[in-house]
Amino acid sequence: MEIKYTIQGLLIYATIAAYLCAFVTSLLRRAKTGHILYLFGFAIAVFSFGYRWYHVRHVPLQNLFEVFLCLGMIYPVSLFCRRFLRVGGYSADMLIGVIVLFPAGFVFNAEPQQLPPALQSWLFTPHVAVYMLSYIIMAKATFHAISQLAGKGPKPNENLLPPEQATYRIICVGFPLLTLGLVLGSYWGKLAWGDYWGWDPKELWSLASWLVYVGYFHFRYMFGKKHPRINSFWAIAGMAAIIITLLWVNLSRLFPGLHSYA
Amino acid sequence: MNLEAKYFSIIIYSKHGNYKYQLQIALNKKQAERASVNILANNIYLAIITRVEFIDGHKGNLMNKFRRAVMWVGLALIILLLFVSVYGAFIGAERAQSFINRLPLMVYWIAFLLLLIVALSVFRRLVRVPGLLLIHLGCVFILAGSMWASEAGHKLQKKLFGIDKITKGQMEIHEGHSDNRVLDDNMQIKELPFSVELKDFQIEYYKPAYLYVQTRDGQGWKIPVEIGSEFPLGPEFGTVKILRTFENFKVTIEDGNRKIIDDPQPGLNPALEVQITSPQGQVTTKYVFERFGGHTRPEDKLALSYRRVISDYISQLRIIKDERIVAEKDIEVNHPLSFGGYRFYQHSYDAEAGQYTVLMVVSDTGVGVVFAGCWMLCIGVFWHMWLRHIVGFDVGSSFVHITARIKTKNK
Ligand code: HEM
C-alpha cells in the first residue's frame, strides 16, 4: 500500500471518490444523481488516462498501473449494455470501477517506463486495448452471473433481461474481443519472436481463460436449460482465469522458481 | 387488455428431433421487442424466443446419440486442454513446450482435429450458419496448420515429398561476415541454400540516458545526461556535473601515466565522467559504468549509477545466393526478413562488444494456414455474435430457415 502524492494519484483518488459517491447515491435510489456522479467520475477517469498518455508520450498500456487506469473508464460499457442489450447493473459497474482503480491508486508502481524494442509495434495498442475492453465486459458479465446465483434480478418494470440471459449476452459481446486479443497476440508473437505460440505462462493463462468461455458456450448449448446455475459458474471461472492472466507476473512471485514475462 | 398474456408459443422440432425452435407470436411491437430476435411479417410480430436448443435426453435415433456423444467428447476435450494449459503455466515455457510436443499431446491434437471435422459433418447447423462454420473451420485450419508447421510435420514432408527444411534454429553472424550455418533446436548444424551477411549491427538507446544518484538514507535523483550541465543536490550534498560520456571506456598507460580514453576499437563499456562538488567546495571526479554499477566505498555518501534504455537493435542483412545479392533488409525486433521459405528474426546479440548478431531462423511452412484459420475464427465470432445482429441479416435468414423447416415437416 502506497499513497501517490502526485497529480496522477490525485486524479485516480478523485475518480474513486466519484464512483463511490455514485454507488452510494444509486443505492439510496437516487438514480439520476447517481448517474450524473458516475458520468463525472468517468470524465475524470478519461482525463487521468489522457494525462498519463501526455506524461509518458506513448499509449499508456504498458504496465499494470496503466492498464488498470484504462479499465477504470468503464462507463461506456454500462451505457452500451443498457441501450443495446437490455442489461442493467449500473451500480455494480461503479463498484467494478472502484475495484479496478484501487490497485492503480494504491498498489502498482507508476514510474513511467520507456518502451523496450519488443513493444514497439503497431500491434501493441490494439492487442492490449482489445483485451482490456473484453476484460471489463467480462467483469460485468461475472456480476450478472453472481446475481443469478444469488437469486437476484431486475424488477419487472425495468424492461431488463433476467441475469442468466444477461450474462450470456454480455459474454457474446466480450468473447469476440477476447478472441481478437488472442489472435493479435499470436500474430505479434510471430513478428517479434518468430513464434506465434511460445507456451509461456501468460499465453497459457490467456488460452485457459478463452477456453473457459468456449466451454461456457458449449455447456450452455447442451445443458443450459437444465442446469442454468452451472452456466454462471462457468462465467465466474472465466473471470477468475482472466484475473490470474492479468496478474500472473505478480502472482508468479508467490510460486518460487517460476520465470515469467510481462 | 393485458399485453403480457397475449403471447402464444409454437414449438417446432427439427427433422432429426434434436433441435427445438420456440417461436412466439406477439401482437404488437413492444412485445416483440422483448424477445431476443423479432421479425415483422404481414403485420404479425414473430419473436424467436429460444433460438435453438439442443434437447438433451431426447429419445432420438442412433444419429442423435452419436451427436450427443460428439458434443460430450468435445466438451471433455476443451476442459482437458484447459487443465493442460493451466498445468503448462505452472511449469514454465520451456518445459511446457516439450510437454506439449510429447506423444500423448500429439494424440490429443489429432483427436481434437478429427472431432471438429466429425462435428462439422454431423451438425448441419455448423455448416449452415456462416458464423459457426467459420469458427469451427478456423479451428480446423489452426490445428492442421500447426501440425504441418511443427517439427513432426517437417519430418513428414521430408518423407513424403523430399522437402528438407530447417524447422527452427539460430545463426550467429559477425559484422562484415556471411554464413549459412544454422544451429537447430536439436543442437545440430544445418546449412541453408544461401548465405546471410551482416553488414552492420547497431544498438540504439533512448535519449536522454540517466544518471541515478542515491544517498544512504534513500533519497534519490534521476539526472538526464547532458554534458556540462550542473545539477544541484541540495545544501547537504552540493552539485553534480557530467563532464564526459564514453562508449568504450578504457584505461591506457602512456609514458608511464594512466590515461583514460574512449576506445574506438570494438568493445562495449559505456561510462560517464562525473564531477561532484561538495557544499564545502571540495571537487571529486568519478567514473560511473553502465555495466559495472553499484560499487560504493564505505566513505561514499552517494551511490551513482548510469542507465540507458535500449530502444532498438538493428541488423543490416543481405542475402547472398550464387554470389549475388538477392535481398537486403535492416531487420529489427518486430520487423523480420522473409526469404526463400524462411524468416529471419532479430533474436539476440553480442552483449560484450556489440560485434555479432544472433538471428532466429524459422521455416514458414504452415504458418499461412494457421493465420488463415485465426482470421476465419475471428471473423466467425464477430459475425456470429456481433455483426449479424447489427445488420439484421440473420433475423431474416433464420425466419426463412424456419419456415422452410415447417414446410418440410408438413410434407
Ligand atoms: C471440438 C469439438 C467441438 C464441437 C463438437 C463443437 C460443436 C458445436 C456445436 C454443436 C455448436 C452449436 C451450434 C448451434 O448453435 O447449433 C457449437 C457452437 C459454438 N462453438 Fe463449437 N464445437 C467444438 C469446438 C469449438 C471450439 C474449439 C471453439 C473455439 C472457438 C468453438 C466455438 C463455438 C462457439 C463460439 C459457438 C457458438 C455458441 C453460441 O452461439 O452460443 N467450438 N459448437
Side-chain angles (χ1 to χ4, degrees), chain B residues 208-214 220-226 229-233 238-242 272 274-276 302-307:
Chain B
Y210 288 97
L211 170 70
Y212 288 79
V213 180
Q214 203 143 34
W221 295 270
K222 180 177 167 183
I223 303 166
V225 172
E226 273 169 54
S229 70
E230 200 152 7
F231 191 90
L233 302 179
T239 61
V240 58
K241 186 170 167 184
I242 294 159
L272 293 178
V274 175
Q275 191 180 61
I276 298 173
L302 300 170
L304 305 174
S305 56
Y306 174 33
R307 275 180 242 161

PDB file of all heavy atoms in Angstrom, chain B residues 208-214 220-226 229-233 238-242 272 274-276 302-307:
ATOM      1  N   PRO B 208      17.137  11.266 -23.378  1.00  0.00           N
ATOM      2  CA  PRO B 208      18.462  11.167 -22.779  1.00  0.00           C
ATOM      3  C   PRO B 208      18.615   9.881 -21.960  1.00  0.00           C
ATOM      4  O   PRO B 208      17.625   9.279 -21.550  1.00  0.00           O
ATOM      5  CB  PRO B 208      18.469  12.383 -21.839  1.00  0.00           C
ATOM      6  CG  PRO B 208      17.038  12.548 -21.443  1.00  0.00           C
ATOM      7  CD  PRO B 208      16.226  12.114 -22.618  1.00  0.00           C
ATOM      8  N   ALA B 209      19.865   9.512 -21.710  1.00  0.00           N
ATOM      9  CA  ALA B 209      20.152   8.469 -20.729  1.00  0.00           C
ATOM     10  C   ALA B 209      20.098   9.136 -19.358  1.00  0.00           C
ATOM     11  O   ALA B 209      20.015  10.367 -19.268  1.00  0.00           O
ATOM     12  CB  ALA B 209      21.526   7.897 -21.007  1.00  0.00           C
ATOM     13  N   TYR B 210      20.148   8.349 -18.313  1.00  0.00           N
ATOM     14  CA  TYR B 210      20.040   8.962 -16.978  1.00  0.00           C
ATOM     15  C   TYR B 210      21.156   8.532 -16.044  1.00  0.00           C
ATOM     16  O   TYR B 210      21.621   7.395 -16.094  1.00  0.00           O
ATOM     17  CB  TYR B 210      18.699   8.607 -16.339  1.00  0.00           C
ATOM     18  CG  TYR B 210      17.541   9.318 -16.991  1.00  0.00           C
ATOM     19  CD1 TYR B 210      16.788   8.679 -17.973  1.00  0.00           C
ATOM     20  CD2 TYR B 210      17.229  10.623 -16.654  1.00  0.00           C
ATOM     21  CE1 TYR B 210      15.724   9.333 -18.592  1.00  0.00           C
ATOM     22  CE2 TYR B 210      16.181  11.287 -17.266  1.00  0.00           C
ATOM     23  CZ  TYR B 210      15.434  10.637 -18.234  1.00  0.00           C
ATOM     24  OH  TYR B 210      14.403  11.290 -18.836  1.00  0.00           O
ATOM     25  N   LEU B 211      21.538   9.489 -15.215  1.00  0.00           N
ATOM     26  CA  LEU B 211      22.436   9.182 -14.102  1.00  0.00           C
ATOM     27  C   LEU B 211      21.554   9.140 -12.851  1.00  0.00           C
ATOM     28  O   LEU B 211      20.800  10.070 -12.590  1.00  0.00           O
ATOM     29  CB  LEU B 211      23.486  10.290 -13.975  1.00  0.00           C
ATOM     30  CG  LEU B 211      24.352  10.255 -12.718  1.00  0.00           C
ATOM     31  CD1 LEU B 211      25.314   9.072 -12.769  1.00  0.00           C
ATOM     32  CD2 LEU B 211      25.141  11.549 -12.567  1.00  0.00           C
ATOM     33  N   TYR B 212      21.654   8.048 -12.116  1.00  0.00           N
ATOM     34  CA  TYR B 212      20.856   7.923 -10.885  1.00  0.00           C
ATOM     35  C   TYR B 212      21.774   8.160  -9.695  1.00  0.00           C
ATOM     36  O   TYR B 212      22.845   7.554  -9.599  1.00  0.00           O
ATOM     37  CB  TYR B 212      20.239   6.527 -10.779  1.00  0.00           C
ATOM     38  CG  TYR B 212      19.118   6.312 -11.771  1.00  0.00           C
ATOM     39  CD1 TYR B 212      19.403   6.020 -13.100  1.00  0.00           C
ATOM     40  CD2 TYR B 212      17.788   6.395 -11.378  1.00  0.00           C
ATOM     41  CE1 TYR B 212      18.394   5.826 -14.021  1.00  0.00           C
ATOM     42  CE2 TYR B 212      16.769   6.207 -12.292  1.00  0.00           C
ATOM     43  CZ  TYR B 212      17.066   5.924 -13.603  1.00  0.00           C
ATOM     44  OH  TYR B 212      16.068   5.736 -14.515  1.00  0.00           O
ATOM     45  N   VAL B 213      21.348   9.045  -8.827  1.00  0.00           N
ATOM     46  CA  VAL B 213      22.137   9.343  -7.636  1.00  0.00           C
ATOM     47  C   VAL B 213      21.292   8.987  -6.426  1.00  0.00           C
ATOM     48  O   VAL B 213      20.121   9.361  -6.351  1.00  0.00           O
ATOM     49  CB  VAL B 213      22.509  10.846  -7.585  1.00  0.00           C
ATOM     50  CG1 VAL B 213      23.320  11.156  -6.342  1.00  0.00           C
ATOM     51  CG2 VAL B 213      23.268  11.248  -8.831  1.00  0.00           C
ATOM     52  N   GLN B 214      21.908   8.276  -5.500  1.00  0.00           N
ATOM     53  CA  GLN B 214      21.144   7.867  -4.326  1.00  0.00           C
ATOM     54  C   GLN B 214      21.965   8.082  -3.055  1.00  0.00           C
ATOM     55  O   GLN B 214      23.161   7.806  -3.043  1.00  0.00           O
ATOM     56  CB  GLN B 214      20.784   6.392  -4.456  1.00  0.00           C
ATOM     57  CG  GLN B 214      19.585   6.030  -3.623  1.00  0.00           C
ATOM     58  CD  GLN B 214      18.716   5.019  -4.330  1.00  0.00           C
ATOM     59  OE1 GLN B 214      19.235   4.169  -5.042  1.00  0.00           O
ATOM     60  NE2 GLN B 214      17.416   5.102  -4.149  1.00  0.00           N
ATOM     61  N   GLY B 220      16.788  10.123  -3.623  1.00  0.00           N
ATOM     62  CA  GLY B 220      17.354   9.840  -4.934  1.00  0.00           C
ATOM     63  C   GLY B 220      17.039  10.893  -5.967  1.00  0.00           C
ATOM     64  O   GLY B 220      16.080  11.649  -5.838  1.00  0.00           O
ATOM     65  N   TRP B 221      17.902  10.981  -6.993  1.00  0.00           N
ATOM     66  CA  TRP B 221      17.678  11.896  -8.117  1.00  0.00           C
ATOM     67  C   TRP B 221      17.894  11.143  -9.415  1.00  0.00           C
ATOM     68  O   TRP B 221      18.724  10.238  -9.477  1.00  0.00           O
ATOM     69  CB  TRP B 221      18.658  13.066  -8.073  1.00  0.00           C
ATOM     70  CG  TRP B 221      18.511  13.966  -6.903  1.00  0.00           C
ATOM     71  CD1 TRP B 221      17.722  15.074  -6.826  1.00  0.00           C
ATOM     72  CD2 TRP B 221      19.182  13.862  -5.645  1.00  0.00           C
ATOM     73  NE1 TRP B 221      17.853  15.669  -5.593  1.00  0.00           N
ATOM     74  CE2 TRP B 221      18.749  14.941  -4.843  1.00  0.00           C
ATOM     75  CE3 TRP B 221      20.103  12.961  -5.096  1.00  0.00           C
ATOM     76  CZ2 TRP B 221      19.200  15.145  -3.552  1.00  0.00           C
ATOM     77  CZ3 TRP B 221      20.557  13.162  -3.808  1.00  0.00           C
ATOM     78  CH2 TRP B 221      20.102  14.247  -3.037  1.00  0.00           C
ATOM     79  N   LYS B 222      17.156  11.580 -10.429  1.00  0.00           N
ATOM     80  CA  LYS B 222      17.325  10.987 -11.745  1.00  0.00           C
ATOM     81  C   LYS B 222      17.740  12.133 -12.660  1.00  0.00           C
ATOM     82  O   LYS B 222      16.965  13.045 -12.904  1.00  0.00           O
ATOM     83  CB  LYS B 222      15.980  10.394 -12.169  1.00  0.00           C
ATOM     84  CG  LYS B 222      15.957   9.735 -13.504  1.00  0.00           C
ATOM     85  CD  LYS B 222      14.564   9.123 -13.728  1.00  0.00           C
ATOM     86  CE  LYS B 222      14.377   8.720 -15.172  1.00  0.00           C
ATOM     87  NZ  LYS B 222      13.031   8.197 -15.419  1.00  0.00           N
ATOM     88  N   ILE B 223      18.989  12.118 -13.087  1.00  0.00           N
ATOM     89  CA  ILE B 223      19.551  13.282 -13.780  1.00  0.00           C
ATOM     90  C   ILE B 223      19.772  12.951 -15.255  1.00  0.00           C
ATOM     91  O   ILE B 223      20.503  12.015 -15.573  1.00  0.00           O
ATOM     92  CB  ILE B 223      20.886  13.675 -13.131  1.00  0.00           C
ATOM     93  CG1 ILE B 223      20.662  13.951 -11.639  1.00  0.00           C
ATOM     94  CG2 ILE B 223      21.503  14.878 -13.829  1.00  0.00           C
ATOM     95  CD1 ILE B 223      21.921  14.011 -10.844  1.00  0.00           C
ATOM     96  N   PRO B 224      19.148  13.701 -16.164  1.00  0.00           N
ATOM     97  CA  PRO B 224      19.379  13.439 -17.580  1.00  0.00           C
ATOM     98  C   PRO B 224      20.829  13.721 -17.947  1.00  0.00           C
ATOM     99  O   PRO B 224      21.420  14.688 -17.465  1.00  0.00           O
ATOM    100  CB  PRO B 224      18.418  14.400 -18.300  1.00  0.00           C
ATOM    101  CG  PRO B 224      17.984  15.377 -17.295  1.00  0.00           C
ATOM    102  CD  PRO B 224      18.186  14.798 -15.943  1.00  0.00           C
ATOM    103  N   VAL B 225      21.388  12.844 -18.766  1.00  0.00           N
ATOM    104  CA  VAL B 225      22.797  13.001 -19.116  1.00  0.00           C
ATOM    105  C   VAL B 225      22.947  14.053 -20.202  1.00  0.00           C
ATOM    106  O   VAL B 225      22.564  13.850 -21.342  1.00  0.00           O
ATOM    107  CB  VAL B 225      23.384  11.649 -19.582  1.00  0.00           C
ATOM    108  CG1 VAL B 225      24.786  11.844 -20.138  1.00  0.00           C
ATOM    109  CG2 VAL B 225      23.383  10.661 -18.439  1.00  0.00           C
ATOM    110  N   GLU B 226      23.464  15.226 -19.789  1.00  0.00           N
ATOM    111  CA  GLU B 226      23.771  16.297 -20.731  1.00  0.00           C
ATOM    112  C   GLU B 226      25.126  16.826 -20.332  1.00  0.00           C
ATOM    113  O   GLU B 226      25.319  17.236 -19.182  1.00  0.00           O
ATOM    114  CB  GLU B 226      22.758  17.443 -20.595  1.00  0.00           C
ATOM    115  CG  GLU B 226      21.512  17.294 -21.425  1.00  0.00           C
ATOM    116  CD  GLU B 226      20.495  18.334 -20.989  1.00  0.00           C
ATOM    117  OE1 GLU B 226      20.848  19.519 -20.968  1.00  0.00           O
ATOM    118  OE2 GLU B 226      19.367  17.935 -20.639  1.00  0.00           O
ATOM    119  N   SER B 229      26.053  20.301 -17.993  1.00  0.00           N
ATOM    120  CA  SER B 229      25.019  20.914 -17.157  1.00  0.00           C
ATOM    121  C   SER B 229      25.209  20.489 -15.698  1.00  0.00           C
ATOM    122  O   SER B 229      25.567  19.353 -15.408  1.00  0.00           O
ATOM    123  CB  SER B 229      23.626  20.537 -17.662  1.00  0.00           C
ATOM    124  OG  SER B 229      23.381  19.198 -17.414  1.00  0.00           O
ATOM    125  N   GLU B 230      24.989  21.437 -14.815  1.00  0.00           N
ATOM    126  CA  GLU B 230      25.220  21.187 -13.394  1.00  0.00           C
ATOM    127  C   GLU B 230      23.879  20.945 -12.711  1.00  0.00           C
ATOM    128  O   GLU B 230      22.889  21.606 -13.029  1.00  0.00           O
ATOM    129  CB  GLU B 230      25.899  22.409 -12.779  1.00  0.00           C
ATOM    130  CG  GLU B 230      26.593  22.098 -11.492  1.00  0.00           C
ATOM    131  CD  GLU B 230      27.778  23.040 -11.267  1.00  0.00           C
ATOM    132  OE1 GLU B 230      27.943  23.979 -12.048  1.00  0.00           O
ATOM    133  OE2 GLU B 230      28.522  22.826 -10.303  1.00  0.00           O
ATOM    134  N   PHE B 231      23.874  19.994 -11.779  1.00  0.00           N
ATOM    135  CA  PHE B 231      22.607  19.626 -11.165  1.00  0.00           C
ATOM    136  C   PHE B 231      22.730  19.739  -9.653  1.00  0.00           C
ATOM    137  O   PHE B 231      23.597  19.101  -9.054  1.00  0.00           O
ATOM    138  CB  PHE B 231      22.272  18.191 -11.583  1.00  0.00           C
ATOM    139  CG  PHE B 231      20.876  17.770 -11.242  1.00  0.00           C
ATOM    140  CD1 PHE B 231      19.842  17.966 -12.148  1.00  0.00           C
ATOM    141  CD2 PHE B 231      20.596  17.175 -10.012  1.00  0.00           C
ATOM    142  CE1 PHE B 231      18.553  17.573 -11.831  1.00  0.00           C
ATOM    143  CE2 PHE B 231      19.307  16.792  -9.698  1.00  0.00           C
ATOM    144  CZ  PHE B 231      18.289  16.993 -10.610  1.00  0.00           C
ATOM    145  N   PRO B 232      21.894  20.572  -9.002  1.00  0.00           N
ATOM    146  CA  PRO B 232      22.014  20.741  -7.551  1.00  0.00           C
ATOM    147  C   PRO B 232      21.404  19.573  -6.781  1.00  0.00           C
ATOM    148  O   PRO B 232      20.343  19.081  -7.147  1.00  0.00           O
ATOM    149  CB  PRO B 232      21.215  22.016  -7.299  1.00  0.00           C
ATOM    150  CG  PRO B 232      20.230  22.078  -8.417  1.00  0.00           C
ATOM    151  CD  PRO B 232      20.836  21.386  -9.590  1.00  0.00           C
ATOM    152  N   LEU B 233      22.103  19.124  -5.741  1.00  0.00           N
ATOM    153  CA  LEU B 233      21.586  18.023  -4.919  1.00  0.00           C
ATOM    154  C   LEU B 233      21.176  18.518  -3.529  1.00  0.00           C
ATOM    155  O   LEU B 233      21.068  17.732  -2.596  1.00  0.00           O
ATOM    156  CB  LEU B 233      22.645  16.927  -4.774  1.00  0.00           C
ATOM    157  CG  LEU B 233      23.180  16.290  -6.055  1.00  0.00           C
ATOM    158  CD1 LEU B 233      24.243  15.252  -5.708  1.00  0.00           C
ATOM    159  CD2 LEU B 233      22.068  15.643  -6.844  1.00  0.00           C
ATOM    160  N   GLY B 238      25.740  19.209  -2.224  1.00  0.00           N
ATOM    161  CA  GLY B 238      26.418  20.002  -3.244  1.00  0.00           C
ATOM    162  C   GLY B 238      25.831  19.829  -4.633  1.00  0.00           C
ATOM    163  O   GLY B 238      24.618  19.737  -4.794  1.00  0.00           O
ATOM    164  N   THR B 239      26.702  19.756  -5.661  1.00  0.00           N
ATOM    165  CA  THR B 239      26.200  19.645  -7.028  1.00  0.00           C
ATOM    166  C   THR B 239      26.906  18.521  -7.757  1.00  0.00           C
ATOM    167  O   THR B 239      27.976  18.059  -7.354  1.00  0.00           O
ATOM    168  CB  THR B 239      26.472  20.937  -7.829  1.00  0.00           C
ATOM    169  OG1 THR B 239      27.881  21.138  -7.869  1.00  0.00           O
ATOM    170  CG2 THR B 239      25.794  22.140  -7.222  1.00  0.00           C
ATOM    171  N   VAL B 240      26.291  18.109  -8.840  1.00  0.00           N
ATOM    172  CA  VAL B 240      26.900  17.088  -9.674  1.00  0.00           C
ATOM    173  C   VAL B 240      26.877  17.587 -11.116  1.00  0.00           C
ATOM    174  O   VAL B 240      25.942  18.252 -11.542  1.00  0.00           O
ATOM    175  CB  VAL B 240      26.191  15.725  -9.482  1.00  0.00           C
ATOM    176  CG1 VAL B 240      24.733  15.821  -9.806  1.00  0.00           C
ATOM    177  CG2 VAL B 240      26.819  14.653 -10.337  1.00  0.00           C
ATOM    178  N   LYS B 241      27.972  17.279 -11.831  1.00  0.00           N
ATOM    179  CA  LYS B 241      28.094  17.772 -13.192  1.00  0.00           C
ATOM    180  C   LYS B 241      28.639  16.633 -14.054  1.00  0.00           C
ATOM    181  O   LYS B 241      29.563  15.925 -13.633  1.00  0.00           O
ATOM    182  CB  LYS B 241      29.065  18.948 -13.176  1.00  0.00           C
ATOM    183  CG  LYS B 241      29.198  19.674 -14.483  1.00  0.00           C
ATOM    184  CD  LYS B 241      30.004  20.940 -14.227  1.00  0.00           C
ATOM    185  CE  LYS B 241      30.462  21.591 -15.501  1.00  0.00           C
ATOM    186  NZ  LYS B 241      31.308  22.741 -15.237  1.00  0.00           N
ATOM    187  N   ILE B 242      28.054  16.440 -15.232  1.00  0.00           N
ATOM    188  CA  ILE B 242      28.534  15.372 -16.106  1.00  0.00           C
ATOM    189  C   ILE B 242      29.534  15.973 -17.090  1.00  0.00           C
ATOM    190  O   ILE B 242      29.217  16.918 -17.813  1.00  0.00           O
ATOM    191  CB  ILE B 242      27.357  14.698 -16.826  1.00  0.00           C
ATOM    192  CG1 ILE B 242      26.486  13.984 -15.784  1.00  0.00           C
ATOM    193  CG2 ILE B 242      27.850  13.699 -17.868  1.00  0.00           C
ATOM    194  CD1 ILE B 242      25.106  13.706 -16.224  1.00  0.00           C
ATOM    195  N   LEU B 272      30.373   7.272 -17.666  1.00  0.00           N
ATOM    196  CA  LEU B 272      30.246   8.721 -17.535  1.00  0.00           C
ATOM    197  C   LEU B 272      31.385   9.231 -16.669  1.00  0.00           C
ATOM    198  O   LEU B 272      31.802   8.562 -15.714  1.00  0.00           O
ATOM    199  CB  LEU B 272      28.944   9.092 -16.817  1.00  0.00           C
ATOM    200  CG  LEU B 272      27.618   8.830 -17.494  1.00  0.00           C
ATOM    201  CD1 LEU B 272      26.509   9.247 -16.533  1.00  0.00           C
ATOM    202  CD2 LEU B 272      27.534   9.607 -18.782  1.00  0.00           C
ATOM    203  N   VAL B 274      31.975  12.070 -14.044  1.00  0.00           N
ATOM    204  CA  VAL B 274      31.094  12.922 -13.259  1.00  0.00           C
ATOM    205  C   VAL B 274      31.910  13.711 -12.249  1.00  0.00           C
ATOM    206  O   VAL B 274      32.827  13.171 -11.630  1.00  0.00           O
ATOM    207  CB  VAL B 274      30.061  12.041 -12.512  1.00  0.00           C
ATOM    208  CG1 VAL B 274      29.204  12.866 -11.594  1.00  0.00           C
ATOM    209  CG2 VAL B 274      29.192  11.272 -13.485  1.00  0.00           C
ATOM    210  N   GLN B 275      31.563  14.977 -12.099  1.00  0.00           N
ATOM    211  CA  GLN B 275      32.268  15.801 -11.113  1.00  0.00           C
ATOM    212  C   GLN B 275      31.290  16.166  -9.998  1.00  0.00           C
ATOM    213  O   GLN B 275      30.216  16.709 -10.261  1.00  0.00           O
ATOM    214  CB  GLN B 275      32.749  17.068 -11.789  1.00  0.00           C
ATOM    215  CG  GLN B 275      33.699  17.870 -10.952  1.00  0.00           C
ATOM    216  CD  GLN B 275      34.121  19.103 -11.708  1.00  0.00           C
ATOM    217  OE1 GLN B 275      33.291  19.934 -12.045  1.00  0.00           O
ATOM    218  NE2 GLN B 275      35.403  19.211 -12.004  1.00  0.00           N
ATOM    219  N   ILE B 276      31.715  15.839  -8.767  1.00  0.00           N
ATOM    220  CA  ILE B 276      30.846  16.173  -7.637  1.00  0.00           C
ATOM    221  C   ILE B 276      31.514  17.279  -6.830  1.00  0.00           C
ATOM    222  O   ILE B 276      32.684  17.155  -6.459  1.00  0.00           O
ATOM    223  CB  ILE B 276      30.606  14.941  -6.745  1.00  0.00           C
ATOM    224  CG1 ILE B 276      29.899  13.859  -7.570  1.00  0.00           C
ATOM    225  CG2 ILE B 276      29.766  15.298  -5.524  1.00  0.00           C
ATOM    226  CD1 ILE B 276      29.751  12.557  -6.864  1.00  0.00           C
ATOM    227  N   LEU B 302      27.326   9.137  -1.673  1.00  0.00           N
ATOM    228  CA  LEU B 302      26.366   8.975  -2.762  1.00  0.00           C
ATOM    229  C   LEU B 302      26.675   7.717  -3.561  1.00  0.00           C
ATOM    230  O   LEU B 302      27.835   7.402  -3.809  1.00  0.00           O
ATOM    231  CB  LEU B 302      26.438  10.182  -3.706  1.00  0.00           C
ATOM    232  CG  LEU B 302      26.142  11.540  -3.092  1.00  0.00           C
ATOM    233  CD1 LEU B 302      26.497  12.640  -4.064  1.00  0.00           C
ATOM    234  CD2 LEU B 302      24.675  11.618  -2.699  1.00  0.00           C
ATOM    235  N   ALA B 303      25.619   7.015  -3.968  1.00  0.00           N
ATOM    236  CA  ALA B 303      25.805   5.887  -4.874  1.00  0.00           C
ATOM    237  C   ALA B 303      25.350   6.359  -6.252  1.00  0.00           C
ATOM    238  O   ALA B 303      24.277   6.942  -6.394  1.00  0.00           O
ATOM    239  CB  ALA B 303      24.967   4.704  -4.420  1.00  0.00           C
ATOM    240  N   LEU B 304      26.207   6.118  -7.274  1.00  0.00           N
ATOM    241  CA  LEU B 304      25.883   6.601  -8.612  1.00  0.00           C
ATOM    242  C   LEU B 304      25.676   5.412  -9.541  1.00  0.00           C
ATOM    243  O   LEU B 304      26.384   4.409  -9.453  1.00  0.00           O
ATOM    244  CB  LEU B 304      27.039   7.431  -9.167  1.00  0.00           C
ATOM    245  CG  LEU B 304      27.510   8.608  -8.320  1.00  0.00           C
ATOM    246  CD1 LEU B 304      28.745   9.226  -8.930  1.00  0.00           C
ATOM    247  CD2 LEU B 304      26.403   9.633  -8.203  1.00  0.00           C
ATOM    248  N   SER B 305      24.699   5.526 -10.422  1.00  0.00           N
ATOM    249  CA  SER B 305      24.612   4.507 -11.462  1.00  0.00           C
ATOM    250  C   SER B 305      24.155   5.148 -12.758  1.00  0.00           C
ATOM    251  O   SER B 305      23.488   6.182 -12.766  1.00  0.00           O
ATOM    252  CB  SER B 305      23.694   3.363 -11.034  1.00  0.00           C
ATOM    253  OG  SER B 305      22.442   3.864 -10.695  1.00  0.00           O
ATOM    254  N   TYR B 306      24.574   4.520 -13.841  1.00  0.00           N
ATOM    255  CA  TYR B 306      24.352   5.062 -15.180  1.00  0.00           C
ATOM    256  C   TYR B 306      23.482   4.058 -15.913  1.00  0.00           C
ATOM    257  O   TYR B 306      23.839   2.885 -16.010  1.00  0.00           O
ATOM    258  CB  TYR B 306      25.710   5.214 -15.862  1.00  0.00           C
ATOM    259  CG  TYR B 306      25.698   5.635 -17.316  1.00  0.00           C
ATOM    260  CD1 TYR B 306      24.719   6.493 -17.820  1.00  0.00           C
ATOM    261  CD2 TYR B 306      26.691   5.181 -18.181  1.00  0.00           C
ATOM    262  CE1 TYR B 306      24.751   6.885 -19.144  1.00  0.00           C
ATOM    263  CE2 TYR B 306      26.727   5.568 -19.501  1.00  0.00           C
ATOM    264  CZ  TYR B 306      25.749   6.418 -19.980  1.00  0.00           C
ATOM    265  OH  TYR B 306      25.767   6.798 -21.295  1.00  0.00           O
ATOM    266  N   ARG B 307      22.330   4.517 -16.362  1.00  0.00           N
ATOM    267  CA  ARG B 307      21.440   3.577 -17.048  1.00  0.00           C
ATOM    268  C   ARG B 307      20.958   4.148 -18.353  1.00  0.00           C
ATOM    269  O   ARG B 307      20.518   5.288 -18.432  1.00  0.00           O
ATOM    270  CB  ARG B 307      20.227   3.267 -16.166  1.00  0.00           C
ATOM    271  CG  ARG B 307      20.513   2.148 -15.186  1.00  0.00           C
ATOM    272  CD  ARG B 307      19.311   1.882 -14.340  1.00  0.00           C
ATOM    273  NE  ARG B 307      19.636   2.133 -12.933  1.00  0.00           N
ATOM    274  CZ  ARG B 307      18.722   2.329 -12.011  1.00  0.00           C
ATOM    275  NH1 ARG B 307      17.444   2.357 -12.322  1.00  0.00           N
ATOM    276  NH2 ARG B 307      19.091   2.515 -10.764  1.00  0.00           N
TER     277      ARG B 307
END
